């Protein structure tokens, strides 16, 4: 009995150490996308040939506070960097994308004191994005957009080895019975104190036959380790 109580106390202390009373998330996900793949999916046009920010997501909750309105004035000093590092690929002149990300993810991330203002949230995302410098890391390992395919494991092993944590690589799976998948999104995960941690990678989905694939909604899902990866050059 004593032993059980001790275990219970230890567990309670450990979680109190990680979570402040307000905070309900345990992981942050810094999501990058490859503009050419995104635009292939969404039918936009882009000339951007670097990995850009998609968002900084807390692992628990969406749309946590609808009354906490997005106000671009609060991040005015960040705008030059936002436009470059976190562009809205669908509406390049608008702030819609940032507003969407704030309501959906920022208001949840903001439950932690370290991210409890719009300025803190957006500047931390930019800071992590620059610190991780995914674009240079891929180039450094000679993983460049190319007409040739990469073995999936080659890319995964190099980035995991470099960061010392497991990244989540996501692909678009062409609907036809293609022999490749298109690299589109890369997630890097952090603890609440912004240390790198492993991203979870759900187990591989069962291979689906082409008639099932054709009905699937296009979108990103975890890359299939057995299918060659196409990293499309920017037109
Ligand atoms: C939601 O945001 C508003 C505006 O910042 C704030 O006053 C309010 O306390 C927040 N509500 C919750 C539940 O956090
Ligand atoms: C946006 O923030 C600025 C700076 O704090 C403030 O002056 C302005 O009233 C806010 N706008 C809205 C619509 O809340
Ligand atoms: C593919 O899946 C569909 C729907 O489940 C099925 O009707 C069809 O026979 C399957 N085709 C092959 C080649 O397995």
């Amino acid at each position: 009995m004593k032993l059980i109580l001790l275990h219970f106390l230890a567990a309670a202390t450990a979680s109190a150490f990680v979570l402040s009373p307000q905070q309900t998330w345990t992981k942050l996900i810094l999501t990058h996308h490859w503009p050419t793949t995104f635009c292939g999916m969404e039918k936009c046009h882009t000339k951007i040939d670097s990995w850009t920010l998609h968002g900084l997501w807390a692992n628990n909750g969406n749309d946590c506070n609808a009354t906490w309105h997005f106000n671009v004035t609060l991040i005015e000093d960040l705008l030059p960097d936002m436009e470059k590092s976190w562009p809205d690929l669908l509406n390049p002149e608008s702030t819609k994308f940032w507003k969407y990300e704030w309501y959906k993810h920022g208001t949840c991330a903001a439950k932690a004191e370290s991210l409890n203002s719009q300025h803190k949230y957006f500047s931390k995302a930019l800071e992590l994005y620059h610190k991780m410098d995914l674009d240079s890391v891929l180039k450094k390992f000679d993983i460049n957009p190319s007409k040739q395919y990469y073995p999936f494991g080659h890319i995964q092993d190099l980035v995991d080895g470099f960061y010392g944590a497991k990244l989540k690589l996501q692909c678009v799976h062409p609907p036809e019975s293609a022999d490749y998948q298109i690299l589109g999104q890369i997630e890097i995960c952090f603890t609440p104190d912004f240390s790198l941690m492993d991203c979870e990678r759900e187990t591989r989905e069962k291979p689906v036959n082409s008639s099932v694939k054709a009905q699937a909604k296009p979108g990103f899902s975890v890359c299939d380790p057995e299918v060659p990866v196409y990293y499309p050059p920017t037109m």
Side-chain angles (χ1 to χ4, degrees):
M1 180 65 202
K2 240 185 192 165
L3 198 66
I4 292 168
L5 189 65
L6 255 165
H7 273 132
F8 172 76
L9 281 174
T13 315
S15 61
F17 176 75
V18 177
L19 300 177
S20 76
Q22 296 288 299
Q23 185 181 318
T24 60
W25 52 265
T26 52
K27 173 164 54 171
L28 278 175
I29 304 162
L30 185 74
T31 308
H32 307 70
H33 52 195
W34 178 245
T36 302
T37 304
F38 177 86
C39 279
M41 239 163 64
E42 297 294 328
K43 317 229 180 317
C44 41
H45 185 73
T46 185
K47 290 192 173 128
I48 301 171
D49 66 348
S50 57
W51 286 82
T52 57
L53 257 173
H54 182 171
L56 182 64
W57 305 341
N59 67 333
N60 196 359
N62 285 328
D63 303 308
C64 293
N65 187 343
T67 64
W68 197 346
H69 296 298
F70 176 74
N71 180 345
V72 74
T73 313
L74 301 171
I75 55 167
E76 214 151 14
D77 60 316
L78 306 176
L79 292 183
D81 195 8
M82 294 282 291
E83 281 158 16
K84 200 166 159 286
S85 306
W86 201 336
D88 183 336
L89 300 167
L90 293 172
N91 310 282
E93 304 300 321
S94 106
T95 59
K96 264 192 204 160
F97 185 33
W98 306 330
K99 183 175 171 178
Y100 175 84
E101 290 292 315
W102 167 253
Y103 282 116
K104 184 163 179 193
H105 301 289
T107 55
C108 300
K111 289 181 180 177
E113 205 184 322
S114 54
L115 297 173
N116 66 359
S117 74
Q118 290 178 46
H119 196 274
K120 284 189 196 172
Y121 174 71
F122 286 104
S123 61
K124 181 54 86 175
L126 291 169
E127 179 197 318
L128 294 173
Y129 171 80
H130 291 299
K131 209 156 122 190
M132 293 303 113
D133 201 7
L134 177 64
D135 210 65
S136 311
V137 171
L138 292 171
K139 286 195 180 104
K140 172 187 154 87
F141 288 119
D142 252 343
I143 302 169
N144 296 304
S146 160
K147 292 215 149 49
Q148 290 180 329
Y149 303 160
Y150 289 93
F152 171 79
H154 177 73
I155 305 178
Q156 182 82 67
D157 291 350
L158 286 175
V159 292
D160 288 1
F162 179 83
Y163 290 106
K166 289 179 179 153
L167 273 57
K168 181 157 138 187
L169 274 54
Q170 292 177 299
C171 288
V172 177
H173 305 270
E176 25 354 306
S177 48
D179 59 351
Y180 65 95
Q181 53 190 339
I182 310 167
L183 185 61
Q185 191 149 280
I186 296 183
E187 298 181 356
I188 304 181
C189 298
F190 297 90
T191 63
D193 61 359
F194 310 113
S195 304
L196 281 160
M197 70 182 279
D198 289 345
C199 295
E200 276 154 42
R201 300 191 291 236
E202 46 269 54
T203 49
R204 185 155 66 91
E205 296 143 47
K206 273 187 272 152
V208 285
N209 77 30
S210 51
S211 95
V212 175
K213 256 194 198 172
Q215 296 157 18
K217 214 169 145 265
F220 295 121
S221 55
V222 179
C223 302
D224 184 330
E226 273 147 41
V227 176
V229 173
Y230 177 42
Y231 178 11
T234 305
M235 301 298 169

